[in-house]
Amino acid sequence: EFGVARERVSVLEPGLVLPPPRTRRARQPGDPFRLLSVGSLVPRKDHPTLLAALADLRDTRITLDIAGSADLDPAHASRVRAEIDRLGLSQQVRLHGALPKAALDALYAEADAFALTTLYEGYGMAFVEAMAHALPVIATGAGAVRDTVPTAAGLLCEAGDAAAIGSAIRQLADDPRRTETMAKAARAHAQGLPGWQDQARRLAALIAEIGR
């Protein structure tokens, strides 16, 4: 698109600050299955498809926490709120808005799985952070999503496919052993990703090469 040869382009993904390992809560019979989604309430994140998937399951044991700013597109955020009411999900879905790190970390600690039904991601930092917190991922989207989330750690669906997303949620909610296996794979994958110091060294080496 910009007339630059591919071999002249270098990409440095964001570094990851790996959180300390967490002790996952043991789900007891009757406990809800808690989904977490992190992303601003903007059209690209496609929260309505996630809400539709949850509504189709008709399972009040499955809850959804959505953390993300409602200020970037207030009109769309209002439509998301209206959709929650229209689908009868007000008792299952909580909108938290943008959260400070400590509050967001608390949601990660309480969650059983992570879901983001985005349409497109250039990298997918939200998926990486979820895996770092040892959460199995339900992901959609074009772009780099399928390169970011390995199949051992996530269930990948086509964007906009509420039925497939609902099926993925059901698979994890009904199979604690599989959820735990994928959680361990997610954390292991995140442990192998570069941190900011690694990426800083790579950037310095790239600048030095350009200087030569």
Side-chain angles (χ1 to χ4, degrees):
E1 293 181 7
F2 297 99
V4 179
R6 181 179 296 272
E7 57 270 17
R8 295 189 63 192
V9 177
S10 297
V11 175
L12 292 176
E13 297 87 353
L16 174 65
V17 178
L18 194 69
R22 70 182 182 122
T23 301
R24 292 178 57 82
R25 69 182 183 94
R27 286 179 64 207
Q28 303 299 321
D31 282 353
F33 182 80
R34 298 191 60 169
L35 284 171
L36 173 63
S37 187
V38 178
S40 300
L41 302 186
V42 295
R44 182 169 61 84
K45 300 299 183 181
D46 194 21
H47 291 98
T49 292
L50 179 56
L51 296 173
L54 183 59
D56 287 345
L57 290 174
R58 301 182 182 277
D59 189 339
T60 57
R61 298 173 304 159
I62 301 173
T63 65
L64 171 63
D65 290 284
I66 300 176
S69 174
D71 298 334
L72 300 180
D73 191 332
H76 181 75
S78 294
R79 287 193 290 272
V80 171
R81 295 188 193 97
E83 192 68 0
I84 291 171
D85 291 336
R86 187 186 72 81
L87 294 171
L89 294 173
S90 58
Q91 299 301 310
Q92 291 175 251
V93 179
R94 293 187 297 173
L95 297 176
H96 296 268
L99 293 175
K101 183 180 184 303
L104 184 57
D105 284 346
L107 286 181
Y108 277 121
E110 295 168 357
D112 295 298
F114 181 88
L116 182 60
T117 53
T118 182
L119 299 176
Y120 178 88
E121 293 292 333
Y123 174 53
M125 198 65 206
F127 296 123
V128 170
E129 290 178 352
M131 289 187 290
H133 282 87
L135 290 179
V137 169
I138 298 168
T140 68
V145 174
R146 293 178 186 274
D147 295 326
T148 303
V149 182
T151 55
L155 299 173
L156 305 179
C157 307
E158 293 298 323
D161 191 342
I165 296 158
S167 175
I169 295 171
R170 174 65 71 196
Q171 289 177 52
L172 295 183
D174 289 350
D175 192 343
R177 182 174 296 180
R178 182 179 188 185
T179 300
E180 183 63 24
T181 298
M182 294 181 72
K184 291 178 180 178
R187 175 72 180 187
H189 177 72
Q191 287 175 317
L193 296 175
W196 283 112
Q197 289 186 340
D198 301 315
Q199 299 302 64
R201 284 192 290 267
R202 290 172 182 169
L203 178 59
L206 176 61
I207 293 173
E209 182 181 342
I210 293 171
R212 289 194 294 272

